[in-house]
């Protein structure tokens, strides 16, 4: 009888462990399915001709090879050209909430076998939000000597319950994506922009420490150089860009955030940034501007924009670029002369070396997938301006 009881006990324990394994696998599959997808123009055309068989899912660590045009999966059916009204209406709207990863960390679940040999599962969750930001004075100069007590964090309209860490981020590794508009509209000034971009990469990317990748876009995004710390290879990637075709800027930004920066593997904390060089006139994308911004926020990416419009007037494309930069905590640069593009790159380089990083615990955090606003206030000194991302998405249970 004792032997039979022992066999029954271990059988029940094995079935329980198998059930937990299957539930975990189902939850993981559901989480992967929730990630939105960026469509491409070429894929949508193929869908219009005939239904294609689903492509096998690649591992998260897989990256497109250099000089290969990436084709994001799962194009939206019946997508239309972005509407002017959608762009203008989005200026006063925050992104729609949705399921995605958020800047929180969860400790792994542990199992403890008690004295009576019953199986007990203990789960511990630590909700911590990380925000990178810059501070300037009333003259626009960066302030780099502030302390933790100089700041107050407001999360979802409530003060943060605890500041976990605070430090100046001058040496944290960089992951930089350079997105260059290669459409016909920038052909006349393309050579100078290429040279300014190469100079920026030479000055900003530190070998064995930082990494960057190059994406040119017209109708579709094309990776001419994948992640590398080799500035010579990055320069070749910039020179390989060739102008031509329409402009699908939102698709390119969406792709760079989702398929490159979100899937990049690194050993420790990094700062993620995109430099977007374009005139801002999108006429080919299948995702909207707000969807591209939404993906940048999910990927925790700061977007800096450099306008290639040299008219000096209030161009519609400049307002689009300003909206993208402002929503992600970056800055929009509008050069009035082609020679000022190099100055914009230099200003971005200085800002990347003049940032702070703060980690805090929200007061009433709930894992409901909702968009939560973030505001960092400078205390004790007048005239200080803090620039950071506007919010983030809580994880879904």
């Amino acid at each position: 009888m004792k032997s039979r009881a022992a066999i029954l006990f271990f059988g029940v324990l094995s079935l329980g462990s198998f059930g937990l394994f299957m539930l975990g696998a189902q939850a993981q599959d559901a989480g992967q399915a929730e990630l939105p997808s960026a469509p491409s123009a070429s894929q949508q055309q193929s869908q219009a001709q005939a239904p294609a068989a689903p492509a096998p899912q690649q591992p998260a660590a897989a990256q497109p090879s250099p000089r290969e045009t990436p084709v994001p999966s799962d194009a939206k059916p019946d997508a239309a050209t972005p509407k002017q009204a959608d762009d203008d209406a989005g200026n006063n709207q925050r992104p729609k909430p949705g399921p995605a990863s958020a800047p929180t960390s969860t400790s792994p679940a542990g199992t403890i076998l008690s004295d009576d040999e019953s199986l007990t599962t203990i789960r511990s969750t630590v909700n911590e939000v990380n925000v990178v930001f810059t501070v300037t004075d009333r003259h626009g100069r960066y302030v780099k000597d502030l302390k933790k007590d100089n700041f107050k964090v407001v999360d979802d309209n409530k003060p943060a319950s605890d500041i976990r860490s605070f430090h100046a981020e001058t040496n944290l590794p960089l992951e930089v994506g350079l997105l260059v508009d290669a459409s016909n509209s920038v052909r006349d000034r393309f050579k100078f922009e290429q040279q300014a971009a190469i100079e920026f990469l030479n000055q900003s990317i530190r070998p064995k420490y930082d990494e960057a990748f190059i994406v040119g876009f017209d109708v579709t995004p094309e990776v001419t150089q994948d992640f590398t710390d080799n500035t010579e290879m990055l320069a070749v990637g910039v020179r390989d860009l060739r102008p031509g075709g329409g402009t699908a800027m939102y698709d390119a930004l969406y792709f760079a955030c989702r398929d490159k920066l979100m899937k990049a593997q690194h050993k420790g904390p990094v700062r993620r940034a995109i430099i977007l060089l374009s005139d801002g006139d999108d006429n080919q994308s299948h995702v909207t501007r707000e969807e591209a911004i939404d993906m940048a926020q999910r990927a925790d990416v700061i977007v800096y924009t450099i306008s290639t419009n040299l008219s000096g007037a209030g161009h519609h494309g400049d307002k689009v670029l300003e909206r993208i930069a402002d929503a992600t905590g970056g800055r929009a640069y509008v050069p009035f002369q082609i020679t000022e593009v190099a100055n914009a790159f230099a200003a971005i380089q200085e800002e990347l070396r003049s940032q702070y990083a703060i980690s805090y615990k929200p007061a009433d955090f709930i894992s409901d997938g909702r968009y939560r606003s973030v505001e960092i206030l400078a205390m004790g000194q007048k005239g200080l301006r803090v620039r950071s991302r506007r919010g983030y998405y809580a994880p879904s249970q």
Side-chain angles (χ1 to χ4, degrees):
M1 291 297 291
K2 292 184 178 180
S3 300
R4 181 176 301 176
I7 292 173
L8 287 174
F9 172 78
F10 286 108
V12 172
L13 182 60
S14 300
L15 287 174
S17 301
F18 178 77
L20 289 174
F21 172 79
M22 292 301 294
L23 287 174
Q26 292 174 358
Q28 182 178 3
D29 292 341
Q32 292 176 350
E34 288 175 350
L35 181 66
S37 301
S40 67
S42 59
Q43 189 172 13
Q44 183 168 350
Q45 291 172 358
S46 64
Q47 286 185 345
Q49 296 173 359
Q57 186 175 1
Q58 296 181 351
Q63 302 290 349
S65 59
R67 300 177 181 84
E68 177 181 345
T69 303
V71 182
S73 61
D74 300 328
K76 291 186 178 180
D78 302 324
T81 303
K83 297 180 181 179
Q84 179 80 19
D86 175 66
D87 281 347
D88 295 335
N91 284 325
N92 297 320
Q93 296 178 358
R94 68 182 183 186
K96 297 179 180 179
S101 59
T104 61
S105 59
T106 305
S107 62
T111 57
I112 299 177
L113 195 62
S114 63
D115 293 337
D116 60 356
E117 297 184 343
S118 62
L119 192 64
T120 303
T121 300
I122 297 178
R123 292 180 174 85
S124 176
T125 302
V126 178
N127 297 310
E128 193 170 294
V129 181
N130 302 296
V131 180
V132 175
F133 62 96
T134 57
V135 183
T136 53
D137 61 17
R138 64 185 61 189
H139 303 291
R141 295 173 297 202
Y142 293 106
V143 181
K144 307 177 184 180
D145 58 351
L146 299 176
K147 307 300 181 183
K148 181 175 69 172
D149 295 340
N150 295 117
F151 299 100
K152 177 183 178 181
V153 180
V154 179
D155 183 291
D156 211 28
N157 299 318
K158 295 182 180 180
S161 63
D162 183 31
I163 303 298
R164 298 292 180 85
S165 65
F166 173 86
H167 46 282
E169 289 295 4
T170 57
N171 293 314
L172 198 66
L174 289 170
E175 287 182 350
V176 178
L178 179 63
L179 273 60
V180 181
D181 189 338
S183 62
N184 277 322
S185 59
V186 298
R187 184 182 295 272
D188 58 339
R189 48 196 181 274
F190 198 68
K191 292 289 186 182
F192 184 88
E193 293 169 359
Q194 285 177 304
Q195 189 57 44
I198 291 172
E199 183 65 22
F200 164 78
L201 294 168
N202 288 335
Q203 296 294 328
S204 302
I205 302 303
R206 298 163 293 180
K208 299 181 180 180
Y209 204 66
D210 305 319
E211 285 190 328
F213 64 94
I214 312 298
V215 172
F217 63 91
D218 45 25
V219 176
T220 56
E222 178 186 8
V223 179
T224 57
Q225 177 56 55
D226 213 332
F227 275 110
T228 183
D229 62 350
N230 188 318
T231 55
E232 293 183 2
M233 294 175 63
L234 291 169
V236 172
V238 173
R239 294 191 183 99
D240 282 349
L241 297 170
R242 296 290 183 269
T247 306
M249 180 181 69
Y250 305 143
D251 283 358
L253 178 58
Y254 195 106
F255 162 77
C257 293
R258 187 198 67 172
D259 293 78
K260 302 302 296 179
L261 289 167
M262 284 185 73
K263 294 182 179 180
Q265 295 183 345
H266 43 78
K267 297 180 180 179
V270 297
R271 286 174 294 161
R272 295 172 172 174
I274 282 179
I275 292 89
L276 176 59
L277 189 66
S278 176
D279 59 6
D281 288 333
D282 190 303
N283 54 23
Q284 293 287 336
S285 286
H286 301 104
V287 299
T288 65
R289 181 192 63 190
E290 295 306 307
E291 288 172 329
I293 291 174
D294 171 82
M295 184 53 65
Q297 292 177 328
R298 295 176 187 277
D300 194 15
V301 176
I302 299 174
V303 183
Y304 299 93
T305 63
I306 301 177
S307 173
T308 58
N309 298 308
L310 303 178
S311 61
H315 194 276
H316 170 71
D318 293 343
K319 296 179 181 179
V320 171
L321 295 173
E322 183 178 358
R323 163 65 183 159
I324 293 173
D326 186 61
T328 59
R331 177 176 290 188
Y333 295 88
V334 185
F336 292 103
Q337 301 178 18
I338 189 64
T339 54
E340 294 181 3
V341 173
N343 296 336
F345 274 115
I348 294 173
Q349 179 191 355
E350 181 184 5
E351 174 157 329
L352 290 174
R353 306 301 178 195
S354 307
Q355 296 174 322
Y356 296 95
I358 196 167
S359 175
Y360 68 92
K361 182 179 180 181
D364 58 348
F365 189 85
I366 302 175
S367 298
D368 54 3
R370 187 172 57 86
Y371 180 86
R372 299 173 65 95
S373 62
V374 174
E375 186 177 11
I376 300 178
L377 306 174
M379 314 293 290
Q381 297 186 35
K382 294 183 179 180
L384 296 182
R385 181 190 176 192
V386 178
R387 191 171 68 256
S388 70
R389 57 180 169 144
R390 297 296 184 88
Y392 65 96
Y393 287 92
S396 299
Q397 289 182 341

